[in-house]
Amino acid sequence: MNKLRLLSLIITGTLLFSCSPAEAPMSITSPDGSLRLSTSVDDGILTYELTRDGAPLLTPGRLGLLLREVDFTEGLSLLGSETDTFDETWEQVWGEEVQVRNHYNELTLHLKKADEDKYLDLIFRLFDDGLGFRYAFPKKGVLDSITILDERTQFAFAQDYQAWSMPTHTTEFYEGLFTREPLSKKDTICTPVTLEGGADLFMALHQANLTDYASMNVFPVATNGEGTTLQTDLVPWSTGEKVFAQVPFMTPWRTLIVTRSAGDLALSRLMLNLNDPCKIDDTGWIRTGKYVGIWWAMHLEKATWYYGPKHGATTERTKQYIDFAAEHGFESVLVEGWNKGWEDNWADDIDMFSYTESYPDYDLPELAKYAQEKGVTLIAHNETGGQAANYEEQMEEAFALYRSLGIHSIKTGYVNGLMDGKENQHSQYGICHYRKVVETAAKYQIMVDNHEPAMPTGLQRTYPNLMTHEGLRGQEYNAWDKRGGNPPYHACILPFTRGLAGPVDYTPGIFDYANPAHPGTHPQHTRAKELALYVVLYSPLQMAADLIENYDGHPEFAFITACPTNWSKTVYPSVELGKQVTVARQDRESDEWFLGAITDEEPRTVSITLDFLTPDVVYKAILYRDTAESDYETNPYAIDIEERELSSTDTITLDLARSGGAAIRFIPLS
């Protein structure tokens, strides 16, 4: 790993240099000079602003924290500041590319509450593609423990930008629709918030390294000229406090990605760069892959999670899924409803679930052995019903059991608005619980797929066993949503909203739209679009979500079995936010490329230049795309499969039906 650390002030050796207030640097630029961060302390109030090429992005907005012990929103004195430059390239265990460059300039302010022995630092990092900043409490002065009552961080946007977001208080589990309105028209919203500022300005507000802290929401508090100011709104404990902490302590990073194209938003690794390096010494057991599972039948009400005549998780059925996975090259089989506790009041009983005892018709040791013999692994489903304490009491024993059986993956769930009947999932209480699960899982070499999660903030860099998350309206809404399923534009905006926070376990792959439980509710797109989602929506674990018998006799299933889950390069040849997106990715294990293109309810023709392909190489391209008769409402299954030879000098034209798509596999021939 190549690392360069330079101080931008003249110093001796590698020691940081502190300035007196009169000499303190109060601004930094990004490494390429395009972004400039300035901050000031005037009359005891701390503010900051951000420009790009001299034009304002953030006008002066206030910073500060209100503690029970001290008010750090006013009465501040600047003791000094220092700057630093950092440049490294690090390698992802898995991801959308192999190497990530981490290059930033840093400014640290040392602050003191006037006339009190209480101190606060503020750290800014400015990258070529955005800003991160956090508060830090040094081990200095009289503060040993703190209680944060409120965070007063503001984001004073210079314009009332059009913004994509979902509301906080009317959305459970982050399973809402992203809608586009001016910032000033928003209610309290969760992050990421994606902003459009014209043809060459795209921004995304979020956070990184959410550790031992409350989740951040934002809401508009004022207009400032032509702009709108957002203020933080931390998720509280049931008693009203936001955060309890011991000093020294650092908050999460508040982040703003700034790019000149929509595609570059999705390519930013600013959030990952603001997380700690990997803490797992041996990552050889962490593997990406595809899985099938006993799951969709329950959503269609053909089977039950609980034990009984329609029980889905039986030994016999699981062996059928293992056989299918082995035949078609799937790495894993997810089984939901295998363990005791799925009775009618499972979400309310504090100790209903067992994570080691299976129902009588499910033989866990036998199935784990059977799967291993077939070269397949099981994914153990751990629904908690939000009962975090019950889960924590059983985790060590359960994870030890799974490891002894060769099971290295779990899917967790928290289907309850409150943890332990009291605390919000996204409060400090919930955040600490989610972290404990991931760290304990790492101890036992267990990978985690977290459903009903905290909004991801890049923890997968530190703990790459945290593979993927739900935290969005996924495929299950296409089984029972009263509005008929996710609307056509939904998948088109996900890579630039929820997808900015981290991998998404959307669970694509439904081939049969028949729904006896909820007629008329089904995926609102064509089959070609369903295939394209395997490329468009990134996850290192991808599910083929349908009943396995629904794949029989469909040659297009070959795209799903061939599509990788770990990539060496990603590009976005064409993007219109919420309307259409084309993504191309190169397999990390071969020279093959895969492309997915999707559109909203409007039919579109997109022309894609294939210059991302390796020059002077001829590829066999297998195209799966809509036909002239395809339509997501009247003819969703129609699909055309074609083979042709293409190279990097070619341009391909794709005719996408209403809510349609195209999926292409490029196999090098020379």
Side-chain angles (χ1 to χ4, degrees), residues 226-465:
E226 297 179 351
T228 295
T229 296
L230 301 180
Q231 184 162 301
T232 56
D233 180 33
L234 299 182
V235 178
W237 287 75
S238 58
T239 50
E241 298 91 346
K242 305 300 174 62
V243 175
F244 300 95
Q246 298 294 315
V247 175
F249 181 74
M250 291 188 291
T251 72
W253 296 92
R254 279 60 187 100
T255 63
L256 183 69
I257 300 172
V258 181
T259 63
R260 299 184 189 274
S261 73
D264 283 344
L265 282 178
L267 294 174
S268 173
R269 302 297 171 245
L270 182 150
M271 181 186 69
L272 290 180
N273 282 329
L274 290 170
N275 276 266
D276 297 332
C278 181
K279 292 186 177 181
I280 300 175
D281 293 331
D282 175 17
T283 60
W285 54 273
I286 300 174
R287 298 182 180 179
T288 72
K290 294 186 294 292
Y291 66 100
V292 292
I294 298 172
W295 174 75
W296 190 243
M298 285 83 117
H299 287 287
L300 297 181
E301 300 180 15
K302 291 184 175 182
T304 62
W305 280 276
Y306 56 86
Y307 180 62
K310 293 174 63 178
H311 187 215
T314 66
T315 297
E316 179 183 4
R317 183 173 286 110
T318 303
K319 285 186 176 181
Q320 294 171 355
Y321 273 73
I322 291 171
D323 291 343
F324 181 89
E327 178 184 356
H328 294 283
F330 286 85
E331 285 77 10
S332 303
V333 174
L334 166 71
V335 184
E336 296 201 6
W338 67 274
N339 57 317
K340 291 182 178 180
W342 285 95
E343 280 63 44
D344 290 341
N345 61 335
W346 60 267
D348 300 316
D349 195 310
I350 63 172
D351 57 2
M352 178 73 77
F353 282 112
S354 168
Y355 302 101
T356 57
E357 296 182 75
S358 59
Y359 280 124
D361 57 350
Y362 188 84
D363 191 328
L364 178 61
E366 178 187 341
L367 288 167
K369 180 181 178 182
Y370 185 80
Q372 282 188 316
E373 291 172 349
K374 296 278 187 172
V376 176
T377 62
L378 295 178
I379 300 175
H381 185 226
N382 287 181
E383 174 57 56
T384 69
Q387 306 304 333
N390 177 51
Y391 191 39
E392 290 184 14
E393 288 176 2
Q394 299 185 56
M395 277 196 306
E396 296 268 358
E397 180 185 3
F399 293 173
L401 172 64
Y402 302 157
R403 183 175 180 179
S404 72
L405 295 174
I407 298 172
H408 290 280
S409 300
I410 61 171
K411 173 184 174 181
T412 57
Y414 296 86
V415 182
N416 201 319
L418 297 175
M419 280 190 174
D420 295 325
K422 186 177 183 181
E423 303 297 343
N424 191 296
Q425 290 178 338
H426 307 142
S427 68
Q428 185 184 23
Y429 181 87
I431 299 307
C432 290
H433 168 75
Y434 289 126
R435 177 64 62 89
K436 184 174 183 178
V437 173
V438 173
E439 292 179 351
T440 306
K443 175 181 173 183
Y444 290 94
Q445 297 191 344
I446 301 289
M447 296 178 286
V448 178
D449 172 2
N450 190 6
H451 278 228
E452 296 81 41
M455 183 62 72
T457 63
L459 183 61
Q460 68 266 30
R461 181 187 179 188
T462 311
Y463 290 98
N465 65 311

Side-chain angles (χ1 to χ4, degrees), residues 106-118:
E106 182 176 273
L107 169 65
T108 300
L109 305 184
H110 301 292
L111 304 160
K112 179 181 181 295
K113 181 70 174 180
D115 302 323
E116 297 185 42
D117 192 22
K118 298 171 182 176

Side-chain angles (χ1 to χ4, degrees), residues 598-613:
I598 63 174
T599 184
D600 61 5
E601 67 276 7
E602 297 295 329
R604 299 179 195 278
T605 298
V606 294
S607 294
I608 305 300
T609 301
L610 303 180
D611 55 2
F612 53 83
L613 297 175

Side-chain angles (χ1 to χ4, degrees), residues 25 106 115 124 207 231 369 394 454 478 561 579 620 634:
E106 182 176 273
D115 302 323
F124 294 97
Q207 56 183 336
Q231 184 162 301
K369 180 181 178 182
Q394 299 185 56
N478 294 326
T561 60
K579 296 180 180 180
K620 179 176 77 171
T634 62

Side-chain angles (χ1 to χ4, degrees), residues 15 70 86 90 115 141 153 163 175-176 191 211 296 322 345 351 410 413 437 439 452 460 495 530 585-586 593 599 646:
L15 296 177
V70 58
F86 184 75
W90 58 278
D115 302 323
T153 303
E175 296 175 6
T191 64
T211 299
W296 190 243
I322 291 171
N345 61 335
D351 57 2
I410 61 171
V437 173
E439 292 179 351
E452 296 81 41
Q460 68 266 30
E530 190 78 4
R585 305 184 193 270
Q586 185 177 33
W593 281 82
T599 184
L646 294 169

